[in-house]
Amino acid sequence: MFDVPFWLWVVFAATVVVSLAVDLLAHRSAHVIGFREAAAWSGLWVGLALAFGAVVFLVLGGTAGTEYTTAWLLEKSLSVDNLFVFALIFAYFQVPRAYQHRVLFFGVIGALVFRGVFLAAGVAVVNRFTAVLFAFAAVLFYSVYKILKGEEESFDPGRSLAVRLLRRVVPVRDTYAGQRFFVKEAGKHVATPLLAVVAAIEAADLVFAVDSVPAVLAVSDDTFIVYTSNAFAILGLRALYFMLSGLLERFHYLSTGLAVILGFIGVKLILQATHKLVSPAVPEIPSAVSLAVIVVVLAVSVTLSLRRPADAAEGKDGEDADALREPSPRKVK
């Protein structure tokens, strides 16, 4: 555990709050986010994450800086699966492209809260019961199996627990009403499908946290490192989605690459637990090696995807004019 000064927590919190405020103001009106705009924002989020990593390196030392960078890159790579699910959810509910940023914005806020809870609990459990690392490794190996068997895309947005609970709490109308989450009908407040989409996004993040939390805890057991790295990875998700939304199918080897990374992290967890519980003679994998493996696997996955393209699937990007249209979404039954 690192001795993190209180002012560094304040700097982190202020950075996140200011970033969210700027992002919300910049996208307060509904519009389609094109590739150039998304790339610019993605570059900003990456630069901000790396700048904070430099601060961590200078204040807490090289080990902390390496762990932060490794954890951030790991979460960034694992978030690719989130992007596929986002696309699935938006297609399921037929969300106009102009409204998708607003959904993801509130989805990010929820993810920051839930991840904070899960990571704090995970760190506490790991510090108290080291043997739980074996269970975490088993979770990651099962995730590898699901990815290689092609079972990772079985998420059904309409049947997610969050959406079902929402329907029990408040009635949901069948049509969108701009970017609003609630409208008044016959003197009663009813939810729009946009709120159901946010619920589905949050449910998806909870599903992915099952892989994400054990993976990042293999890199560090320091609350500050694991949460800040997760937070900066989550903050950049929206821009990454809009930048890659039309290119996701081209990177068809990324899933295999993620399986390799998760398998490697699972082995790292087993070695880490064995080193602590069985014998100090059992070697641990340094964070610098983990960082190098993640970078190499991602680079190879992207390169192979571009050099060996998959069979082109028929489809085309929607036009900007169509994005402002309000189609009737799939009924939230």
Side-chain angles (χ1 to χ4, degrees), residues 157-299:
R159 296 182 61 83
S160 67
L161 178 61
V163 174
R164 284 184 284 145
L165 289 176
L166 175 66
R167 293 195 300 261
R168 291 176 180 269
V169 174
V170 62
V172 181
R173 59 181 278 168
D174 296 333
T175 57
Y176 290 101
Q179 296 191 89
R180 288 182 290 176
F181 293 123
F182 291 95
V183 294
K184 201 168 185 178
E185 292 183 347
K188 294 183 179 180
H189 284 91
V190 297
T192 70
L194 210 59
L195 187 62
V197 179
V198 173
I201 291 288
E202 298 294 0
D205 183 71
L206 293 179
V207 171
F208 282 107
V210 175
D211 298 339
S212 177
V213 172
V216 75
L217 290 176
V219 176
S220 177
D221 59 0
D222 184 88
T223 305
F224 180 81
I225 296 298
V226 296
Y227 185 65
T228 55
S229 59
N230 258 257
F232 280 108
I234 290 171
L235 284 173
L237 264 184
R238 298 181 308 288
L240 189 63
Y241 171 78
F242 291 114
M243 188 174 73
L244 299 180
S245 59
L247 305 173
L248 288 175
E249 294 302 327
R250 293 189 60 184
F251 301 117
H252 53 283
Y253 281 113
L254 266 181
S255 290
T256 303
L258 294 178
V260 172
I261 291 173
L262 287 176
F264 170 78
I265 295 299
V267 172
K268 177 179 170 63
L269 277 173
I270 290 177
L271 291 176
Q272 187 176 326
T274 306
H275 175 86
K276 294 179 179 179
L277 295 175
V278 180
S279 171
V282 177
E284 292 184 286
I285 300 177
S287 293
V289 173
S290 301
L291 178 60
V293 169
I294 293 171
V295 170
V296 170
V297 171
L298 288 177

Side-chain angles (χ1 to χ4, degrees), residues 10-286:
V10 174
V11 168
F12 163 70
T15 302
V16 171
V17 171
V18 171
S19 299
L20 288 173
V22 170
D23 191 20
L24 182 61
L25 289 173
H27 300 93
R28 59 185 178 275
S29 59
H31 70 284
V32 176
I33 298 179
F35 178 83
R36 288 186 179 181
E37 181 182 356
W41 277 98
S42 188
L44 175 63
W45 294 123
V46 170
L48 193 61
L50 294 178
F52 189 81
V55 173
V56 171
F57 187 95
L58 293 174
V59 176
L60 301 180
T63 300
T66 302
E67 288 185 1
Y68 166 87
T69 305
T70 304
W72 172 76
L73 186 59
L74 174 62
E75 290 302 314
K76 199 76 171 173
S77 60
L78 292 178
S79 68
V80 173
D81 266 355
N82 295 53
L83 304 185
F84 282 100
V85 174
F86 290 167
L88 171 67
I89 292 173
F90 288 147
Y92 181 92
F93 288 102
Q94 299 179 30
V95 183
R97 289 173 61 200
Y99 304 156
Q100 291 175 5
H101 180 276
R102 182 172 176 82
V103 170
L104 292 180
F105 178 85
F106 286 96
V108 162
I109 293 177
L112 289 173
V113 174
F114 291 132
R115 289 294 179 91
V117 174
F118 290 154
L119 288 170
V123 169
V125 171
V126 168
N127 288 333
R128 191 173 181 85
F129 306 104
T130 305
V132 77
L133 293 177
F134 290 113
F136 285 171
V139 170
L140 295 183
F141 289 141
Y142 180 62
S143 296
V144 171
Y145 169 78
K146 287 195 301 179
I147 292 175
L148 295 180
K149 294 288 288 185
E151 298 178 5
E152 75 279 12
E153 296 179 4
S154 60
F155 179 77
D156 185 348
R159 296 182 61 83
S160 67
L161 178 61
V163 174
R164 284 184 284 145
L165 289 176
L166 175 66
R167 293 195 300 261
R168 291 176 180 269
V169 174
V170 62
V172 181
R173 59 181 278 168
D174 296 333
T175 57
Y176 290 101
Q179 296 191 89
R180 288 182 290 176
F181 293 123
F182 291 95
V183 294
K184 201 168 185 178
E185 292 183 347
K188 294 183 179 180
H189 284 91
V190 297
T192 70
L194 210 59
L195 187 62
V197 179
V198 173
I201 291 288
E202 298 294 0
D205 183 71
L206 293 179
V207 171
F208 282 107
V210 175
D211 298 339
S212 177
V213 172
V216 75
L217 290 176
V219 176
S220 177
D221 59 0
D222 184 88
T223 305
F224 180 81
I225 296 298
V226 296
Y227 185 65
T228 55
S229 59
N230 258 257
F232 280 108
I234 290 171
L235 284 173
L237 264 184
R238 298 181 308 288
L240 189 63
Y241 171 78
F242 291 114
M243 188 174 73
L244 299 180
S245 59
L247 305 173
L248 288 175
E249 294 302 327
R250 293 189 60 184
F251 301 117
H252 53 283
Y253 281 113
L254 266 181
S255 290
T256 303
L258 294 178
V260 172
I261 291 173
L262 287 176
F264 170 78
I265 295 299
V267 172
K268 177 179 170 63
L269 277 173
I270 290 177
L271 291 176
Q272 187 176 326
T274 306
H275 175 86
K276 294 179 179 179
L277 295 175
V278 180
S279 171
V282 177
E284 292 184 286
I285 300 177

